[in-house]
Amino acid sequence: MEWPEITLDDVRAAARRIAPYLRPTPLYPYAGLDRLLDARVWVKHENHQPVGAFKVRGGVNLVSCLGGEERARGLIAASTGNHGQSVAYAARLFGVAARICAPEGVNPVKLDAMQSLGAEVIVRGRDFDEAREHCESLAAEHGSRYVHSGNEPLLIAGVGTEALEIVEELPDVDAIVVPVGGGSGAAGACIAAKSVRPELEVVGVQSEAAPAAYESWRTRSLVTASSTTAAEGLATRVPFELPQRILREQLDDFVLVSEAELLTATRLMIEHTRNLVEPAGAAPLAAALRLRDRLRGRRIALVASGGNISPAQLAALYDERRPRQGPHFPHALERT
């Protein structure tokens, strides 16, 4: 499929559209993270968004641009939570009906949030991709406006505003590290940040237990892979064509981290920033620790993409008696 090129002008237009509804999120330095990485470290707090995750930027931008006919058809999306919250939040804002298809075992915090925002949540499938397949069949059957979590130029331009805020507030930043599930966040960061400062590095990170996006970027082809990560925000079995096209052209590096590294980074982020962060939001710290020698002495921004960790997940994270992966730490995050 052919999509229009997404440019810095599109990201700036998205920033103007979302400004009446979403405030810029904080970009805070943390001395403890400086010491851990032997670098200057800032955290972009997308966990401070009204739905607790960066995705809402894309949802508001996309729905604000829909015409009356598309809005009348209603919206439908597949999500493990954060994309679904984004669609539900924007739908409520603009008076549009929304349905979200979520997999079995969806994070209860995210499920409750989507329902509280007025969306109808349909639980179907063992994982995100099975929920997505059901969503696509419902969209075709009912004629709803399907909001894909990655193959949407308006969504990518919207989430790119987070990186635009980083380079405007911290113009001499050397590197931005961003988590990758579906890849919309990393694609938006590449477009926004590297258009302003071409020499700036954008680094993606995914779990080695769900490497589809990484393998697709590495091989420059769409690669389906298994996904056993407990971090649902990084869980991708099937890569998305539009984000991958952008990542192949612009992403500087891509890091895989272990499940243990993800959960260690989650604890470190919580303890050093005093913020709740889900493992996808802590993945950039895990990657930066892997790349510590290369990043030493540089100015780094870590994108804390979301903070929607449930009480049960948080308890498991700090329960020394439990293994920190698999069924003992279910559904820690949302696709990014």
Side-chain angles (χ1 to χ4, degrees):
M1 181 176 177
E2 291 298 321
W3 287 280
E5 181 184 3
I6 307 166
T7 68
L8 179 60
D9 286 343
D10 295 316
V11 178
R12 285 179 167 150
R16 292 191 294 270
R17 290 189 199 103
I18 70 175
Y21 312 106
L22 301 171
R23 297 177 181 177
T25 54
L27 181 68
Y28 289 150
Y30 290 100
L33 297 180
D34 288 357
R35 189 171 64 252
L36 273 177
L37 295 173
D38 194 16
R40 294 295 308 280
V41 184
W42 284 257
V43 174
K44 182 61 169 169
H45 280 290
E46 292 299 289
N47 57 306
H48 288 200
Q49 292 285 7
V51 302
F54 80 105
K55 290 275 191 178
V56 71
R57 296 172 178 267
V60 171
N61 186 51
L62 185 147
V63 180
S64 72
C65 292
L66 296 182
E69 185 272 335
E70 284 185 297
R71 294 186 185 187
R73 286 159 46 198
L75 308 177
I76 191 166
S79 176
T80 55
N82 287 345
H83 174 58
Q85 288 185 81
S86 165
V87 172
Y89 184 91
R92 183 178 185 181
L93 197 62
F94 294 101
V96 182
R99 289 190 295 171
I100 310 298
C101 295
E104 298 161 6
V106 63
N107 181 327
V109 169
K110 297 175 183 179
L111 174 63
D112 179 73
M114 289 186 286
Q115 292 173 330
S116 296
L117 288 165
E120 176 190 354
V121 181
I122 302 163
V123 178
R124 181 72 62 88
R126 293 170 298 173
D127 60 12
F128 169 80
D129 288 293
E130 289 193 0
R132 174 184 53 78
E133 290 165 1
H134 182 61
C135 174
E136 290 170 357
S137 69
L138 289 177
E141 179 182 352
H142 298 288
S144 305
R145 171 49 162 96
Y146 175 37
V147 183
H148 194 282
S149 57
N151 292 334
E152 291 279 4
L154 287 168
L155 189 153
I156 292 175
V159 298
T161 60
E162 72 179 12
L164 184 62
E165 291 174 8
I166 292 172
V167 295
E168 288 178 344
E169 186 171 346
L170 191 65
D172 54 354
V173 63
D174 295 308
I176 297 174
V177 190
V178 58
V180 180
S184 64
C190 285
I191 292 165
K194 295 182 76 65
S195 295
V196 175
R197 286 193 63 212
E199 70 275 18
L200 184 154
E201 280 192 78
V202 179
V203 178
V205 54
Q206 190 171 47
S207 170
E208 63 186 20
Y214 168 83
E215 291 295 342
S216 298
W217 174 81
R218 185 181 66 83
T219 63
R220 302 183 68 82
S221 61
L222 298 182
V223 177
T224 298
S226 64
S227 173
T228 59
T229 180
E232 76 255 24
L234 308 180
T236 308
R237 281 198 293 113
V238 179
F240 300 152
E241 183 178 350
L242 178 57
Q244 278 294 327
R245 184 182 305 174
I246 296 165
L247 297 183
R248 284 196 297 267
E249 294 173 354
Q250 300 192 46
L251 188 68
D252 294 288
D253 199 3
F254 206 147
V255 179
L256 289 181
V257 296
S258 71
E259 294 287 280
E261 287 175 301
L262 277 175
L263 298 178
T264 295
T266 305
R267 292 193 296 274
L268 289 170
M269 283 285 284
I270 291 171
E271 291 157 14
H272 284 288
T273 73
R274 280 78 68 190
N275 277 254
L276 285 181
V277 181
E278 57 188 272
L285 176 58
L289 287 166
R290 273 277 182 111
L291 300 175
R292 186 174 184 271
D293 289 343
R294 196 176 102 195
L295 296 176
R296 180 173 285 112
R298 302 178 73 190
R299 299 165 71 86
I300 308 158
L302 308 178
V303 176
S305 58
N308 292 314
I309 187 168
S310 75
Q313 292 162 358
L314 188 62
L317 186 69
Y318 282 94
D319 187 345
E320 297 296 334
R321 297 167 296 178
R322 298 182 183 181
R324 293 192 179 92
Q325 58 184 1
H328 300 284
F329 197 84
H331 302 292
L333 5 145
E334 145 73 359
R335 278 176 86 93
T336 57

